[in-house]
Amino acid sequence: MNTFLIGMPGSGKTTVINLYESIYGEQVYDTDCFIENRHGNIDKIFTEYGEEYFRKLETEVIREICSYGDDAFVSTGGGAVLREENVRLFKSYGRIVYLRTGIDNLLKRLDGDNSRPLLSGDRKERLTKLYEERAQIYERAADIIIDTDCLTPNEVLEKIFVKLNEIRGG
């Protein structure tokens, strides 16, 4: 069964899949990396073609990753759940884990990171607006919610496995 990590920019999705890969040596997938490797810088894609074009590329990548089979560990872009088609794909091919993180921690984690096009300008204002727009969408889509604020990446990964085992009945 695939595991799809969702959450706000800075919630730790990429950090957790990279930790998983380093511990278990298994292949992981990052939808944003797929897009950048094929189409270039995400900020540039947003600037030149717009968010809708980016979301189309994101859905194509998600479809492709789902076609690889089971047991993929996948970090998705923060806005992937905005398309209902993506949520349907996640549900059809695996479990959705929402890494829920508070605004203050997101701001700390994103400090100095200028690579996120939706957060340009007043970062706190933009992040708060995104959070308000997306929090309920993440919660509705999620099979599992992990509150990450007081956890290390190792603890987040451990909680994911505990919750997945509970769902599987193990």
Side-chain angles (χ1 to χ4, degrees):
M1 173 154 311
N2 297 316
T3 303
F4 299 96
L5 301 183
I6 65 171
M8 289 289 292
S11 62
K13 301 178 302 284
T14 300
T15 300
V16 169
I17 67 161
N18 288 339
L19 177 62
Y20 175 83
E21 182 179 43
S22 72
I23 291 172
Y24 298 102
E26 294 183 23
Q27 179 67 48
V28 297
Y29 303 99
D30 184 318
T31 60
D32 286 348
C33 287
F34 262 67
I35 293 167
E36 285 195 336
N37 288 339
R38 293 177 181 172
H39 303 282
N41 180 278
I42 290 175
D43 194 27
K44 189 174 178 183
I45 294 169
F46 266 78
T47 303
E48 292 183 12
Y49 303 104
E51 183 176 358
E52 186 55 35
Y53 178 77
F54 173 79
R55 297 290 170 214
K56 181 178 157 283
L57 296 176
E58 187 173 54
T59 299
E60 290 171 8
V61 164
I62 290 166
R63 243 188 253 118
E64 180 181 339
I65 291 169
C66 287
S67 76
Y68 294 163
D70 284 346
D71 295 327
F73 211 67
V74 184
S75 171
T76 67
V81 296
L82 300 177
R83 280 190 148 192
E84 190 58 40
E85 178 181 357
N86 295 342
V87 175
R88 279 194 304 274
L89 286 165
F90 298 153
K91 294 265 186 203
S92 294
Y93 289 91
R95 299 285 187 211
I96 302 172
V97 178
Y98 170 29
L99 301 185
R100 184 166 53 192
T101 308
I103 294 285
D104 289 339
N105 277 322
L106 293 172
L107 285 167
K108 281 184 221 166
R109 293 176 187 178
L110 294 169
D111 188 40
D113 180 350
N114 297 315
S115 67
R116 299 171 192 266
L118 291 179
L119 297 178
S120 59
D122 182 336
R123 179 161 293 190
K124 183 172 185 171
E125 180 183 318
R126 299 292 302 263
L127 195 61
T128 301
K129 185 176 186 302
L130 276 180
Y131 192 88
E132 290 168 355
E133 291 170 358
R134 295 178 179 179
Q136 288 185 339
I137 297 169
Y138 292 137
E139 288 178 14
R140 277 195 305 268
D143 297 302
I144 296 168
I145 298 175
I146 306 290
D147 289 305
T148 70
D149 283 336
C150 298
L151 302 176
T152 66
N154 280 328
E155 291 168 329
V156 170
L157 188 59
E158 184 178 316
K159 280 192 175 283
I160 290 170
F161 287 131
V162 166
K163 295 289 188 183
L164 286 171
N165 282 333
E166 287 174 4
I167 288 174
R168 293 179 185 136

